[in-house]
Amino acid sequence: MKDSASRSLLAAIPKTCKSTTFVALYDPILLSDPFGRVMERNLTNAGVISSSSSSSDSSLFTNRTLSSQMEKIKTAGFDIVIGCDMMNAYETIVTKEQRQCANRCEMLDEIEEWMLIMRHYCFVVGELLSSKGRTDGCNHGDDETATTTHNTNTDGRENEENNVSCLEKLCTVGNNSPLGFVEGKCSVLYQES
């Protein structure tokens, strides 16, 4: 897809959505290393990327890094953008037990090549806040924004429960992140107010 079309599509989301909205992106990041150039050649040979001179507007060429993919989503108007390469995702989102189980099922002959591939793909989540203010109960690092409700248990005791849906937690980094984003293993961008 042309980068201009990709940006137009992303920019339409904040213009049309009035409530908290999320976008998830899984894309190659070609970088500028030898492996990225091989990926680029293979994608061109497969017809995924046009070999014509107009390919310079291809989103894959224009957004070769994790930071440029994240900046594209932030520029479209999303308030919070979190992302990581797939190797970091594998190390943080997939539990140690799940990795051990996968390794028992299928032994990789070329672990180094697999790691290179994983470092050349990214997972990015962008959040558009409904009110353009941090009043949605999402944990952005300051606990004052979380809303609390009181519920009564079946035994009559009252308990407090954080009134934050799973979707609203997608923007979090740390132990409560349902996507497993871990500080130091992912990047975070905030829209300037």
Side-chain angles (χ1 to χ4, degrees):
M1 176 181 273
K2 288 184 176 266
D3 189 52
S4 54
S6 170
R7 289 176 185 275
S8 293
L9 179 63
L10 286 168
I13 297 170
K15 292 175 185 171
T16 56
C17 295
K18 304 299 181 214
S19 60
T20 301
T21 304
F22 297 89
V23 64
L25 170 81
Y26 171 76
D27 245 347
I29 45 177
L30 298 176
L31 305 173
S32 293
D33 62 358
F35 189 84
R37 287 189 289 279
V38 169
M39 276 181 66
E40 185 177 323
R41 188 173 52 246
N42 290 342
L43 290 169
T44 301
N45 291 341
V48 174
I49 301 174
S50 172
S51 59
S52 69
S53 59
S54 64
S55 66
S56 61
D57 187 38
S58 167
S59 188
L60 289 175
F61 286 135
T62 308
N63 302 290
R64 300 179 78 90
T65 64
L66 172 62
S67 57
S68 64
Q69 292 282 9
M70 292 177 65
E71 191 61 39
K72 177 173 76 171
I73 293 175
K74 180 182 168 205
T75 302
F78 287 83
D79 298 298
I80 301 165
V81 182
I82 302 174
C84 60
D85 68 39
M86 291 307 294
M87 191 65 217
N88 281 323
Y90 175 75
E91 291 173 345
T92 60
I93 296 170
V94 179
T95 67
K96 181 180 178 181
E97 292 78 21
Q98 290 169 327
R99 289 192 305 269
Q100 288 172 339
C101 180
N103 290 339
R104 282 192 303 270
C105 294
E106 181 67 41
M107 296 300 297
L108 289 173
D109 293 332
E110 296 294 330
I111 191 75
E112 295 83 11
E113 184 176 347
W114 179 80
M115 290 172 68
L116 273 171
I117 292 169
M118 295 291 278
R119 294 199 193 288
H120 284 79
Y121 282 84
C122 68
F123 178 61
V124 180
V125 176
E127 178 190 17
L128 174 66
L129 301 175
S130 59
S131 64
K132 291 296 183 185
R134 295 198 175 126
T135 58
D136 61 344
C138 194
N139 178 7
H140 303 279
D142 61 21
D143 292 330
E144 299 134 51
T145 60
T147 58
T148 303
T149 58
H150 296 274
N151 292 329
T152 304
N153 292 335
T154 54
D155 63 1
R157 290 182 300 137
E158 193 175 90
N159 67 0
E160 288 188 356
E161 177 175 283
N162 198 357
N163 187 24
V164 180
S165 73
C166 182
L167 286 178
E168 290 171 321
K169 288 183 178 182
L170 289 175
C171 61
T172 61
V173 176
N175 293 338
N176 293 330
S177 172
L179 296 177
F181 287 120
V182 174
E183 198 167 331
K185 293 282 189 173
C186 66
S187 300
V188 181
L189 294 177
Y190 293 100
Q191 195 67 262
E192 300 297 322
S193 325

PDB file of all heavy atoms in Angstrom, residues 11-51:
ATOM      1  N   ALA A  11      -5.597   8.324   9.423  1.00  0.00           N
ATOM      2  CA  ALA A  11      -6.086   9.641   9.845  1.00  0.00           C
ATOM      3  C   ALA A  11      -7.612   9.705   9.852  1.00  0.00           C
ATOM      4  O   ALA A  11      -8.199  10.506  10.588  1.00  0.00           O
ATOM      5  CB  ALA A  11      -5.519  10.722   8.930  1.00  0.00           C
ATOM      6  N   ALA A  12      -8.274   8.859   9.058  1.00  0.00           N
ATOM      7  CA  ALA A  12      -9.739   8.852   9.023  1.00  0.00           C
ATOM      8  C   ALA A  12     -10.330   8.285  10.311  1.00  0.00           C
ATOM      9  O   ALA A  12     -11.453   8.630  10.680  1.00  0.00           O
ATOM     10  CB  ALA A  12     -10.223   8.055   7.819  1.00  0.00           C
ATOM     11  N   ILE A  13      -9.595   7.442  10.991  1.00  0.00           N
ATOM     12  CA  ILE A  13     -10.118   6.798  12.205  1.00  0.00           C
ATOM     13  C   ILE A  13     -10.414   7.824  13.297  1.00  0.00           C
ATOM     14  O   ILE A  13     -11.532   7.863  13.815  1.00  0.00           O
ATOM     15  CB  ILE A  13      -9.178   5.672  12.685  1.00  0.00           C
ATOM     16  CG1 ILE A  13      -9.110   4.577  11.627  1.00  0.00           C
ATOM     17  CG2 ILE A  13      -9.644   5.110  14.030  1.00  0.00           C
ATOM     18  CD1 ILE A  13      -8.033   3.530  11.866  1.00  0.00           C
ATOM     19  N   PRO A  14      -9.469   8.696  13.675  1.00  0.00           N
ATOM     20  CA  PRO A  14      -9.787   9.688  14.715  1.00  0.00           C
ATOM     21  C   PRO A  14     -10.890  10.666  14.298  1.00  0.00           C
ATOM     22  O   PRO A  14     -11.618  11.178  15.138  1.00  0.00           O
ATOM     23  CB  PRO A  14      -8.472  10.441  14.917  1.00  0.00           C
ATOM     24  CG  PRO A  14      -7.423   9.521  14.428  1.00  0.00           C
ATOM     25  CD  PRO A  14      -8.059   8.739  13.324  1.00  0.00           C
ATOM     26  N   LYS A  15     -11.045  10.889  13.002  1.00  0.00           N
ATOM     27  CA  LYS A  15     -12.073  11.817  12.528  1.00  0.00           C
ATOM     28  C   LYS A  15     -13.470  11.218  12.609  1.00  0.00           C
ATOM     29  O   LYS A  15     -14.451  11.944  12.700  1.00  0.00           O
ATOM     30  CB  LYS A  15     -11.778  12.235  11.086  1.00  0.00           C
ATOM     31  CG  LYS A  15     -10.540  13.094  10.962  1.00  0.00           C
ATOM     32  CD  LYS A  15     -10.220  13.387   9.514  1.00  0.00           C
ATOM     33  CE  LYS A  15      -8.907  14.146   9.412  1.00  0.00           C
ATOM     34  NZ  LYS A  15      -8.452  14.266   8.034  1.00  0.00           N
ATOM     35  N   THR A  16     -13.569   9.888  12.558  1.00  0.00           N
ATOM     36  CA  THR A  16     -14.882   9.247  12.532  1.00  0.00           C
ATOM     37  C   THR A  16     -15.255   8.551  13.833  1.00  0.00           C
ATOM     38  O   THR A  16     -16.436   8.316  14.066  1.00  0.00           O
ATOM     39  CB  THR A  16     -14.959   8.223  11.386  1.00  0.00           C
ATOM     40  OG1 THR A  16     -13.910   7.274  11.525  1.00  0.00           O
ATOM     41  CG2 THR A  16     -14.849   8.906  10.041  1.00  0.00           C
ATOM     42  N   CYS A  17     -14.301   8.227  14.669  1.00  0.00           N
ATOM     43  CA  CYS A  17     -14.584   7.509  15.914  1.00  0.00           C
ATOM     44  C   CYS A  17     -14.697   8.489  17.072  1.00  0.00           C
ATOM     45  O   CYS A  17     -13.819   9.322  17.261  1.00  0.00           O
ATOM     46  CB  CYS A  17     -13.497   6.489  16.209  1.00  0.00           C
ATOM     47  SG  CYS A  17     -13.437   5.185  14.979  1.00  0.00           S
ATOM     48  N   LYS A  18     -15.776   8.372  17.820  1.00  0.00           N
ATOM     49  CA  LYS A  18     -16.019   9.289  18.937  1.00  0.00           C
ATOM     50  C   LYS A  18     -15.702   8.659  20.285  1.00  0.00           C
ATOM     51  O   LYS A  18     -15.652   9.346  21.283  1.00  0.00           O
ATOM     52  CB  LYS A  18     -17.480   9.760  18.923  1.00  0.00           C
ATOM     53  CG  LYS A  18     -17.887  10.413  17.624  1.00  0.00           C
ATOM     54  CD  LYS A  18     -17.062  11.641  17.344  1.00  0.00           C
ATOM     55  CE  LYS A  18     -17.518  12.294  16.045  1.00  0.00           C
ATOM     56  NZ  LYS A  18     -16.439  12.894  15.316  1.00  0.00           N
ATOM     57  N   SER A  19     -15.513   7.359  20.329  1.00  0.00           N
ATOM     58  CA  SER A  19     -15.220   6.707  21.597  1.00  0.00           C
ATOM     59  C   SER A  19     -13.795   6.174  21.567  1.00  0.00           C
ATOM     60  O   SER A  19     -13.112   6.246  20.557  1.00  0.00           O
ATOM     61  CB  SER A  19     -16.210   5.565  21.840  1.00  0.00           C
ATOM     62  OG  SER A  19     -16.099   4.619  20.809  1.00  0.00           O
ATOM     63  N   THR A  20     -13.360   5.650  22.691  1.00  0.00           N
ATOM     64  CA  THR A  20     -12.021   5.083  22.775  1.00  0.00           C
ATOM     65  C   THR A  20     -11.873   4.018  21.693  1.00  0.00           C
ATOM     66  O   THR A  20     -12.703   3.133  21.573  1.00  0.00           O
ATOM     67  CB  THR A  20     -11.774   4.482  24.164  1.00  0.00           C
ATOM     68  OG1 THR A  20     -11.930   5.519  25.133  1.00  0.00           O
ATOM     69  CG2 THR A  20     -10.379   3.902  24.271  1.00  0.00           C
ATOM     70  N   THR A  21     -10.828   4.156  20.888  1.00  0.00           N
ATOM     71  CA  THR A  21     -10.625   3.288  19.737  1.00  0.00           C
ATOM     72  C   THR A  21      -9.178   2.821  19.709  1.00  0.00           C
ATOM     73  O   THR A  21      -8.277   3.553  20.086  1.00  0.00           O
ATOM     74  CB  THR A  21     -10.930   4.060  18.437  1.00  0.00           C
ATOM     75  OG1 THR A  21     -12.250   4.577  18.523  1.00  0.00           O
ATOM     76  CG2 THR A  21     -10.812   3.184  17.225  1.00  0.00           C
ATOM     77  N   PHE A  22      -8.970   1.593  19.235  1.00  0.00           N
ATOM     78  CA  PHE A  22      -7.635   1.028  19.134  1.00  0.00           C
ATOM     79  C   PHE A  22      -7.349   0.574  17.714  1.00  0.00           C
ATOM     80  O   PHE A  22      -8.259   0.167  16.997  1.00  0.00           O
ATOM     81  CB  PHE A  22      -7.484  -0.178  20.075  1.00  0.00           C
ATOM     82  CG  PHE A  22      -7.637   0.194  21.503  1.00  0.00           C
ATOM     83  CD1 PHE A  22      -8.875   0.183  22.099  1.00  0.00           C
ATOM     84  CD2 PHE A  22      -6.540   0.585  22.251  1.00  0.00           C
ATOM     85  CE1 PHE A  22      -9.042   0.549  23.417  1.00  0.00           C
ATOM     86  CE2 PHE A  22      -6.688   0.952  23.563  1.00  0.00           C
ATOM     87  CZ  PHE A  22      -7.935   0.936  24.153  1.00  0.00           C
ATOM     88  N   VAL A  23      -6.103   0.646  17.350  1.00  0.00           N
ATOM     89  CA  VAL A  23      -5.661   0.090  16.081  1.00  0.00           C
ATOM     90  C   VAL A  23      -4.426  -0.757  16.387  1.00  0.00           C
ATOM     91  O   VAL A  23      -3.607  -0.400  17.236  1.00  0.00           O
ATOM     92  CB  VAL A  23      -5.349   1.196  15.039  1.00  0.00           C
ATOM     93  CG1 VAL A  23      -4.198   2.079  15.466  1.00  0.00           C
ATOM     94  CG2 VAL A  23      -5.094   0.611  13.672  1.00  0.00           C
ATOM     95  N   ALA A  24      -4.347  -1.911  15.759  1.00  0.00           N
ATOM     96  CA  ALA A  24      -3.184  -2.785  15.920  1.00  0.00           C
ATOM     97  C   ALA A  24      -2.527  -2.960  14.565  1.00  0.00           C
ATOM     98  O   ALA A  24      -3.213  -3.126  13.551  1.00  0.00           O
ATOM     99  CB  ALA A  24      -3.605  -4.138  16.487  1.00  0.00           C
ATOM    100  N   LEU A  25      -1.225  -2.912  14.553  1.00  0.00           N
ATOM    101  CA  LEU A  25      -0.456  -3.006  13.322  1.00  0.00           C
ATOM    102  C   LEU A  25       0.591  -4.109  13.475  1.00  0.00           C
ATOM    103  O   LEU A  25       1.310  -4.158  14.474  1.00  0.00           O
ATOM    104  CB  LEU A  25       0.249  -1.664  13.063  1.00  0.00           C
ATOM    105  CG  LEU A  25       1.280  -1.613  11.961  1.00  0.00           C
ATOM    106  CD1 LEU A  25       0.585  -1.460  10.619  1.00  0.00           C
ATOM    107  CD2 LEU A  25       2.223  -0.455  12.190  1.00  0.00           C
ATOM    108  N   TYR A  26       0.634  -5.000  12.517  1.00  0.00           N
ATOM    109  CA  TYR A  26       1.691  -6.013  12.427  1.00  0.00           C
ATOM    110  C   TYR A  26       2.280  -5.828  11.039  1.00  0.00           C
ATOM    111  O   TYR A  26       1.597  -6.041  10.040  1.00  0.00           O
ATOM    112  CB  TYR A  26       1.101  -7.420  12.591  1.00  0.00           C
ATOM    113  CG  TYR A  26       2.092  -8.511  12.304  1.00  0.00           C
ATOM    114  CD1 TYR A  26       3.080  -8.838  13.225  1.00  0.00           C
ATOM    115  CD2 TYR A  26       2.051  -9.214  11.103  1.00  0.00           C
ATOM    116  CE1 TYR A  26       4.000  -9.848  12.953  1.00  0.00           C
ATOM    117  CE2 TYR A  26       2.963 -10.223  10.830  1.00  0.00           C
ATOM    118  CZ  TYR A  26       3.929 -10.536  11.764  1.00  0.00           C
ATOM    119  OH  TYR A  26       4.826 -11.526  11.502  1.00  0.00           O
ATOM    120  N   ASP A  27       3.511  -5.370  10.974  1.00  0.00           N
ATOM    121  CA  ASP A  27       4.107  -5.023   9.685  1.00  0.00           C
ATOM    122  C   ASP A  27       5.584  -5.356   9.662  1.00  0.00           C
ATOM    123  O   ASP A  27       6.247  -5.366  10.708  1.00  0.00           O
ATOM    124  CB  ASP A  27       3.949  -3.520   9.424  1.00  0.00           C
ATOM    125  CG  ASP A  27       3.062  -3.212   8.234  1.00  0.00           C
ATOM    126  OD1 ASP A  27       2.759  -4.124   7.456  1.00  0.00           O
ATOM    127  OD2 ASP A  27       2.674  -2.046   8.085  1.00  0.00           O
ATOM    128  N   PRO A  28       6.125  -5.598   8.468  1.00  0.00           N
ATOM    129  CA  PRO A  28       7.574  -5.745   8.351  1.00  0.00           C
ATOM    130  C   PRO A  28       8.257  -4.414   8.624  1.00  0.00           C
ATOM    131  O   PRO A  28       7.696  -3.355   8.346  1.00  0.00           O
ATOM    132  CB  PRO A  28       7.795  -6.145   6.892  1.00  0.00           C
ATOM    133  CG  PRO A  28       6.478  -6.371   6.292  1.00  0.00           C
ATOM    134  CD  PRO A  28       5.450  -5.789   7.189  1.00  0.00           C
ATOM    135  N   ILE A  29       9.428  -4.473   9.200  1.00  0.00           N
ATOM    136  CA  ILE A  29      10.291  -3.303   9.303  1.00  0.00           C
ATOM    137  C   ILE A  29      11.605  -3.699   8.625  1.00  0.00           C
ATOM    138  O   ILE A  29      12.348  -4.507   9.131  1.00  0.00           O
ATOM    139  CB  ILE A  29      10.473  -2.829  10.762  1.00  0.00           C
ATOM    140  CG1 ILE A  29      10.748  -3.979  11.725  1.00  0.00           C
ATOM    141  CG2 ILE A  29       9.260  -2.038  11.228  1.00  0.00           C
ATOM    142  CD1 ILE A  29      11.002  -3.558  13.160  1.00  0.00           C
ATOM    143  N   LEU A  30      11.823  -3.136   7.461  1.00  0.00           N
ATOM    144  CA  LEU A  30      12.946  -3.562   6.627  1.00  0.00           C
ATOM    145  C   LEU A  30      14.293  -3.125   7.179  1.00  0.00           C
ATOM    146  O   LEU A  30      15.319  -3.721   6.854  1.00  0.00           O
ATOM    147  CB  LEU A  30      12.767  -3.018   5.201  1.00  0.00           C
ATOM    148  CG  LEU A  30      11.520  -3.511   4.470  1.00  0.00           C
ATOM    149  CD1 LEU A  30      11.406  -2.837   3.116  1.00  0.00           C
ATOM    150  CD2 LEU A  30      11.523  -5.015   4.335  1.00  0.00           C
ATOM    151  N   LEU A  31      14.290  -2.100   7.998  1.00  0.00           N
ATOM    152  CA  LEU A  31      15.533  -1.542   8.527  1.00  0.00           C
ATOM    153  C   LEU A  31      16.470  -1.215   7.353  1.00  0.00           C
ATOM    154  O   LEU A  31      16.023  -1.086   6.223  1.00  0.00           O
ATOM    155  CB  LEU A  31      16.167  -2.479   9.555  1.00  0.00           C
ATOM    156  CG  LEU A  31      15.251  -2.880  10.728  1.00  0.00           C
ATOM    157  CD1 LEU A  31      15.905  -3.942  11.594  1.00  0.00           C
ATOM    158  CD2 LEU A  31      14.869  -1.673  11.574  1.00  0.00           C
ATOM    159  N   SER A  32      17.747  -1.078   7.606  1.00  0.00           N
ATOM    160  CA  SER A  32      18.702  -0.785   6.531  1.00  0.00           C
ATOM    161  C   SER A  32      19.895  -1.712   6.607  1.00  0.00           C
ATOM    162  O   SER A  32      21.004  -1.348   6.249  1.00  0.00           O
ATOM    163  CB  SER A  32      19.151   0.684   6.618  1.00  0.00           C
ATOM    164  OG  SER A  32      18.071   1.534   6.342  1.00  0.00           O
ATOM    165  N   ASP A  33      19.655  -2.914   7.084  1.00  0.00           N
ATOM    166  CA  ASP A  33      20.737  -3.888   7.225  1.00  0.00           C
ATOM    167  C   ASP A  33      20.674  -4.910   6.085  1.00  0.00           C
ATOM    168  O   ASP A  33      19.726  -4.917   5.294  1.00  0.00           O
ATOM    169  CB  ASP A  33      20.653  -4.564   8.601  1.00  0.00           C
ATOM    170  CG  ASP A  33      19.368  -5.347   8.807  1.00  0.00           C
ATOM    171  OD1 ASP A  33      18.507  -5.356   7.907  1.00  0.00           O
ATOM    172  OD2 ASP A  33      19.223  -5.961   9.868  1.00  0.00           O
ATOM    173  N   PRO A  34      21.679  -5.774   5.972  1.00  0.00           N
ATOM    174  CA  PRO A  34      21.686  -6.762   4.886  1.00  0.00           C
ATOM    175  C   PRO A  34      20.441  -7.653   4.867  1.00  0.00           C
ATOM    176  O   PRO A  34      19.893  -7.930   3.801  1.00  0.00           O
ATOM    177  CB  PRO A  34      22.949  -7.582   5.145  1.00  0.00           C
ATOM    178  CG  PRO A  34      23.852  -6.665   5.898  1.00  0.00           C
ATOM    179  CD  PRO A  34      22.934  -5.806   6.739  1.00  0.00           C
ATOM    180  N   PHE A  35      19.967  -8.102   6.022  1.00  0.00           N
ATOM    181  CA  PHE A  35      18.785  -8.955   6.058  1.00  0.00           C
ATOM    182  C   PHE A  35      17.567  -8.197   5.541  1.00  0.00           C
ATOM    183  O   PHE A  35      16.743  -8.748   4.804  1.00  0.00           O
ATOM    184  CB  PHE A  35      18.527  -9.480   7.475  1.00  0.00           C
ATOM    185  CG  PHE A  35      17.452 -10.525   7.526  1.00  0.00           C
ATOM    186  CD1 PHE A  35      17.736 -11.857   7.258  1.00  0.00           C
ATOM    187  CD2 PHE A  35      16.143 -10.183   7.830  1.00  0.00           C
ATOM    188  CE1 PHE A  35      16.735 -12.824   7.292  1.00  0.00           C
ATOM    189  CE2 PHE A  35      15.141 -11.138   7.869  1.00  0.00           C
ATOM    190  CZ  PHE A  35      15.444 -12.459   7.599  1.00  0.00           C
ATOM    191  N   GLY A  36      17.440  -6.923   5.908  1.00  0.00           N
ATOM    192  CA  GLY A  36      16.333  -6.096   5.428  1.00  0.00           C
ATOM    193  C   GLY A  36      16.370  -5.920   3.920  1.00  0.00           C
ATOM    194  O   GLY A  36      15.329  -5.917   3.256  1.00  0.00           O
ATOM    195  N   ARG A  37      17.568  -5.786   3.360  1.00  0.00           N
ATOM    196  CA  ARG A  37      17.683  -5.658   1.899  1.00  0.00           C
ATOM    197  C   ARG A  37      17.286  -6.958   1.201  1.00  0.00           C
ATOM    198  O   ARG A  37      16.667  -6.941   0.133  1.00  0.00           O
ATOM    199  CB  ARG A  37      19.098  -5.213   1.520  1.00  0.00           C
ATOM    200  CG  ARG A  37      19.345  -3.733   1.861  1.00  0.00           C
ATOM    201  CD  ARG A  37      20.652  -3.219   1.299  1.00  0.00           C
ATOM    202  NE  ARG A  37      21.844  -3.753   1.957  1.00  0.00           N
ATOM    203  CZ  ARG A  37      22.334  -3.299   3.105  1.00  0.00           C
ATOM    204  NH1 ARG A  37      21.757  -2.295   3.730  1.00  0.00           N
ATOM    205  NH2 ARG A  37      23.417  -3.830   3.618  1.00  0.00           N
ATOM    206  N   VAL A  38      17.613  -8.102   1.800  1.00  0.00           N
ATOM    207  CA  VAL A  38      17.191  -9.395   1.249  1.00  0.00           C
ATOM    208  C   VAL A  38      15.667  -9.504   1.321  1.00  0.00           C
ATOM    209  O   VAL A  38      15.018  -9.933   0.361  1.00  0.00           O
ATOM    210  CB  VAL A  38      17.874 -10.575   1.988  1.00  0.00           C
ATOM    211  CG1 VAL A  38      17.246 -11.906   1.617  1.00  0.00           C
ATOM    212  CG2 VAL A  38      19.369 -10.586   1.697  1.00  0.00           C
ATOM    213  N   MET A  39      15.079  -9.102   2.444  1.00  0.00           N
ATOM    214  CA  MET A  39      13.617  -9.105   2.576  1.00  0.00           C
ATOM    215  C   MET A  39      12.987  -8.233   1.491  1.00  0.00           C
ATOM    216  O   MET A  39      12.018  -8.639   0.851  1.00  0.00           O
ATOM    217  CB  MET A  39      13.188  -8.547   3.941  1.00  0.00           C
ATOM    218  CG  MET A  39      13.206  -9.524   5.066  1.00  0.00           C
ATOM    219  SD  MET A  39      12.660  -8.762   6.629  1.00  0.00           S
ATOM    220  CE  MET A  39      10.955  -8.398   6.315  1.00  0.00           C
ATOM    221  N   GLU A  40      13.562  -7.049   1.306  1.00  0.00           N
ATOM    222  CA  GLU A  40      13.055  -6.112   0.304  1.00  0.00           C
ATOM    223  C   GLU A  40      13.100  -6.722  -1.089  1.00  0.00           C
ATOM    224  O   GLU A  40      12.129  -6.663  -1.846  1.00  0.00           O
ATOM    225  CB  GLU A  40      13.893  -4.833   0.351  1.00  0.00           C
ATOM    226  CG  GLU A  40      13.417  -3.736  -0.543  1.00  0.00           C
ATOM    227  CD  GLU A  40      14.263  -2.487  -0.363  1.00  0.00           C
ATOM    228  OE1 GLU A  40      14.689  -2.181   0.770  1.00  0.00           O
ATOM    229  OE2 GLU A  40      14.491  -1.803  -1.380  1.00  0.00           O
ATOM    230  N   ARG A  41      14.208  -7.368  -1.419  1.00  0.00           N
ATOM    231  CA  ARG A  41      14.354  -8.016  -2.730  1.00  0.00           C
ATOM    232  C   ARG A  41      13.334  -9.150  -2.881  1.00  0.00           C
ATOM    233  O   ARG A  41      12.691  -9.287  -3.924  1.00  0.00           O
ATOM    234  CB  ARG A  41      15.792  -8.519  -2.906  1.00  0.00           C
ATOM    235  CG  ARG A  41      16.090  -9.036  -4.303  1.00  0.00           C
ATOM    236  CD  ARG A  41      17.557  -9.387  -4.534  1.00  0.00           C
ATOM    237  NE  ARG A  41      18.103 -10.295  -3.524  1.00  0.00           N
ATOM    238  CZ  ARG A  41      19.066  -9.959  -2.652  1.00  0.00           C
ATOM    239  NH1 ARG A  41      19.592  -8.761  -2.657  1.00  0.00           N
ATOM    240  NH2 ARG A  41      19.504 -10.842  -1.779  1.00  0.00           N
ATOM    241  N   ASN A  42      13.168  -9.960  -1.837  1.00  0.00           N
ATOM    242  CA  ASN A  42      12.211 -11.071  -1.888  1.00  0.00           C
ATOM    243  C   ASN A  42      10.774 -10.572  -2.029  1.00  0.00           C
ATOM    244  O   ASN A  42       9.986 -11.150  -2.783  1.00  0.00           O
ATOM    245  CB  ASN A  42      12.347 -11.961  -0.654  1.00  0.00           C
ATOM    246  CG  ASN A  42      13.631 -12.754  -0.652  1.00  0.00           C
ATOM    247  OD1 ASN A  42      14.286 -12.912  -1.684  1.00  0.00           O
ATOM    248  ND2 ASN A  42      14.015 -13.241   0.514  1.00  0.00           N
ATOM    249  N   LEU A  43      10.422  -9.515  -1.315  1.00  0.00           N
ATOM    250  CA  LEU A  43       9.074  -8.952  -1.412  1.00  0.00           C
ATOM    251  C   LEU A  43       8.836  -8.337  -2.791  1.00  0.00           C
ATOM    252  O   LEU A  43       7.741  -8.425  -3.339  1.00  0.00           O
ATOM    253  CB  LEU A  43       8.848  -7.906  -0.316  1.00  0.00           C
ATOM    254  CG  LEU A  43       8.752  -8.467   1.112  1.00  0.00           C
ATOM    255  CD1 LEU A  43       8.801  -7.339   2.139  1.00  0.00           C
ATOM    256  CD2 LEU A  43       7.500  -9.302   1.281  1.00  0.00           C
ATOM    257  N   THR A  44       9.876  -7.748  -3.377  1.00  0.00           N
ATOM    258  CA  THR A  44       9.767  -7.190  -4.729  1.00  0.00           C
ATOM    259  C   THR A  44       9.585  -8.321  -5.739  1.00  0.00           C
ATOM    260  O   THR A  44       8.702  -8.261  -6.604  1.00  0.00           O
ATOM    261  CB  THR A  44      11.009  -6.347  -5.071  1.00  0.00           C
ATOM    262  OG1 THR A  44      11.123  -5.291  -4.111  1.00  0.00           O
ATOM    263  CG2 THR A  44      10.911  -5.749  -6.458  1.00  0.00           C
ATOM    264  N   ASN A  45      10.401  -9.375  -5.631  1.00  0.00           N
ATOM    265  CA  ASN A  45      10.294 -10.526  -6.546  1.00  0.00           C
ATOM    266  C   ASN A  45       8.938 -11.217  -6.442  1.00  0.00           C
ATOM    267  O   ASN A  45       8.430 -11.747  -7.429  1.00  0.00           O
ATOM    268  CB  ASN A  45      11.421 -11.529  -6.296  1.00  0.00           C
ATOM    269  CG  ASN A  45      12.776 -10.991  -6.707  1.00  0.00           C
ATOM    270  OD1 ASN A  45      12.880 -10.041  -7.483  1.00  0.00           O
ATOM    271  ND2 ASN A  45      13.830 -11.585  -6.160  1.00  0.00           N
ATOM    272  N   ALA A  46       8.354 -11.205  -5.255  1.00  0.00           N
ATOM    273  CA  ALA A  46       7.047 -11.843  -5.054  1.00  0.00           C
ATOM    274  C   ALA A  46       5.895 -10.934  -5.490  1.00  0.00           C
ATOM    275  O   ALA A  46       4.746 -11.352  -5.469  1.00  0.00           O
ATOM    276  CB  ALA A  46       6.878 -12.227  -3.590  1.00  0.00           C
ATOM    277  N   GLY A  47       6.202  -9.695  -5.859  1.00  0.00           N
ATOM    278  CA  GLY A  47       5.175  -8.766  -6.312  1.00  0.00           C
ATOM    279  C   GLY A  47       4.458  -8.031  -5.192  1.00  0.00           C
ATOM    280  O   GLY A  47       3.487  -7.323  -5.430  1.00  0.00           O
ATOM    281  N   VAL A  48       4.929  -8.197  -3.955  1.00  0.00           N
ATOM    282  CA  VAL A  48       4.318  -7.503  -2.826  1.00  0.00           C
ATOM    283  C   VAL A  48       4.671  -6.015  -2.882  1.00  0.00           C
ATOM    284  O   VAL A  48       3.849  -5.164  -2.565  1.00  0.00           O
ATOM    285  CB  VAL A  48       4.771  -8.122  -1.482  1.00  0.00           C
ATOM    286  CG1 VAL A  48       4.254  -7.331  -0.303  1.00  0.00           C
ATOM    287  CG2 VAL A  48       4.329  -9.576  -1.413  1.00  0.00           C
ATOM    288  N   ILE A  49       5.892  -5.724  -3.282  1.00  0.00           N
ATOM    289  CA  ILE A  49       6.357  -4.351  -3.455  1.00  0.00           C
ATOM    290  C   ILE A  49       6.611  -4.151  -4.941  1.00  0.00           C
ATOM    291  O   ILE A  49       7.270  -4.976  -5.580  1.00  0.00           O
ATOM    292  CB  ILE A  49       7.666  -4.094  -2.679  1.00  0.00           C
ATOM    293  CG1 ILE A  49       7.489  -4.361  -1.187  1.00  0.00           C
ATOM    294  CG2 ILE A  49       8.149  -2.670  -2.895  1.00  0.00           C
ATOM    295  CD1 ILE A  49       8.782  -4.271  -0.396  1.00  0.00           C
ATOM    296  N   SER A  50       6.114  -3.053  -5.474  1.00  0.00           N
ATOM    297  CA  SER A  50       6.323  -2.744  -6.886  1.00  0.00           C
ATOM    298  C   SER A  50       7.782  -2.379  -7.125  1.00  0.00           C
ATOM    299  O   SER A  50       8.406  -1.692  -6.317  1.00  0.00           O
ATOM    300  CB  SER A  50       5.425  -1.576  -7.304  1.00  0.00           C
ATOM    301  OG  SER A  50       5.759  -1.154  -8.598  1.00  0.00           O
ATOM    302  N   SER A  51       8.325  -2.830  -8.231  1.00  0.00           N
ATOM    303  CA  SER A  51       9.708  -2.492  -8.561  1.00  0.00           C
ATOM    304  C   SER A  51       9.802  -1.196  -9.346  1.00  0.00           C
ATOM    305  O   SER A  51      10.885  -0.768  -9.711  1.00  0.00           O
ATOM    306  CB  SER A  51      10.362  -3.637  -9.340  1.00  0.00           C
ATOM    307  OG  SER A  51       9.626  -3.871 -10.528  1.00  0.00           O
TER     308      SER A  51
END
